[in-house]
Amino acid sequence: MNVEPIANRQQADANAGPGEPAPPAIGANLPPWPQVDFAEYGEIEVKPVSRIQKLTGAFLSRNWLTIPHVTHHDDADITTLESYRKARNEANAAVKLTPLVFLIKAVVRALREFPQFNASLDGNGKNLVLKKYFHIGVAVDTRFGLLVPVLRDCDKKSVEDLAAELAAISLKAREKGLSMAEMSGGCFSISSLGGFGGTGFTPIVNAPEVAILGVTKTRLAAAPAEDGGVSWRKMLPLSLSYDHRVINGADAARFTAFIGTALADPQALAG
Ligand code: CAO
């Protein structure tokens, strides 16, 4: 990762005003990466890191080092959504709806309600650029590494449109990879590990976006029922990482709770 100090030096220089000395580059004074001869300790195999892993690794390192991250965790009750989704999938087997497409629609609503989440700091960090469009990036796990295609104008698309587009673009990402154009222009990203498992994680903000939503596996939770007994609810864990320079914790809590409320009315989201 020796590109990191150079990238940060350029950022530091760009942030300095005329005649002002550049602030020290973030990460410039870190100790060097340990050089270890692993073969001294046992059998090893050496595999080159892929081009995409190197590229995404450099971006992830920059984002992790330069953005003050906080992750807010919450659960959304998707019991009604899951019944609605099941019925809709049974009625139309041509397009499979997963919870993710409803989540994209709920995120679009939340971005409308909380415009500071649909924003980016400009190059010198002095202005916040508020976007009036709703392009959502979705992390896709591929043999090349992590790719994030951007689904454009998600506010104008139905859940079926989004499911069909996501299926096509994730297949392309997995088989051939994606162009930079297909991964550019996003407002907000979602990283769903729901199909794989987990109870929560810390996604890294995809700069210049200011927040990213991580999703893990739906679990059953007991809640008090009206008759005094127990009602089993389907709970979707949400992990929202945000850039604390732009978003404060109270807004992150409101934003995540808003997504939960939106998911509770799947019919309104379906479009
Ligand atoms: N809880 C439980 N099950 C879930 C779920 C959740 N939160 N989300 C999806 N599922 C289920 C789906 O309904 C589907 O079930 P069936 O096979 O029984 O129909 C199954 O999990 C697989 O879903 P999917 O992964 O094919 O579809 P998706 O729309 O949920 O996600 C995609 C699509 C492309 C985002 C996903 O396949 C993927 O690649 N995720 C990885 C993202 C990633 O790597 N993030 C990490 C980034 S940091 O390194």
Side-chain angles (χ1 to χ4, degrees), residues 128-164:
L128 195 61
V129 180
L130 298 163
K131 297 159 205 171
K132 311 289 178 183
Y133 49 82
F134 300 91
H135 303 339
I136 308 294
V138 176
V140 177
D141 180 41
T142 78
R143 68 193 153 97
F144 311 110
L146 177 69
L147 297 178
V148 187
V150 174
L151 308 182
R152 301 195 188 268
D153 299 313
C154 295
D155 53 322
K156 300 189 176 88
K157 293 176 180 164
S158 68
V159 282
E160 278 83 6
D161 294 337
L162 290 170

Side-chain angles (χ1 to χ4, degrees), residues 164-188:
E165 193 177 334
L166 185 61
I169 196 85
S170 55
L171 183 69
K172 180 170 181 239
R174 285 181 174 132
E175 287 184 347
K176 300 187 193 152
L178 297 173
S179 67
M180 276 314 284
E182 288 168 310
M183 295 189 283
S184 303
C187 303
F188 181 97

Side-chain angles (χ1 to χ4, degrees), residues 17 40 46 48 61 102 105 120 130 157 169 172 182 203 208 216 250 258 262:
E40 243 184 57
V46 178
S61 301
F102 291 90
K105 297 298 281 185
S120 289
L130 298 163
K157 293 176 180 164
I169 196 85
K172 180 170 181 239
E182 288 168 310
T216 44
F258 184 95

Side-chain angles (χ1 to χ4, degrees), residues 155-235:
D155 53 322
K156 300 189 176 88
K157 293 176 180 164
S158 68
V159 282
E160 278 83 6
D161 294 337
L162 290 170
E165 193 177 334
L166 185 61
I169 196 85
S170 55
L171 183 69
K172 180 170 181 239
R174 285 181 174 132
E175 287 184 347
K176 300 187 193 152
L178 297 173
S179 67
M180 276 314 284
E182 288 168 310
M183 295 189 283
S184 303
C187 303
F188 181 97
S189 298
I190 302 179
S191 178
S192 174
L193 295 174
F196 304 93
T199 56
F201 66 110
T202 308
I204 297 179
V205 173
N206 188 14
E209 297 165 17
V210 294
I212 177 169
L213 186 67
V215 185
T216 44
K217 196 176 173 68
T218 306
R219 63 183 162 72
L220 280 175
E226 276 177 14
D227 63 5
V230 166
S231 154
W232 288 96
R233 313 297 300 173
K234 290 182 176 161
M235 306 302 287

Side-chain angles (χ1 to χ4, degrees), residues 221-258:
E226 276 177 14
D227 63 5
V230 166
S231 154
W232 288 96
R233 313 297 300 173
K234 290 182 176 161
M235 306 302 287
L236 180 69
L238 303 176
S239 303
L240 179 84
S241 289
Y242 56 92
D243 182 338
H244 210 347
R245 293 171 300 178
V246 178
I247 312 278
N248 64 37
D251 285 338
R254 288 188 197 104
F255 182 87
T256 318
F258 184 95

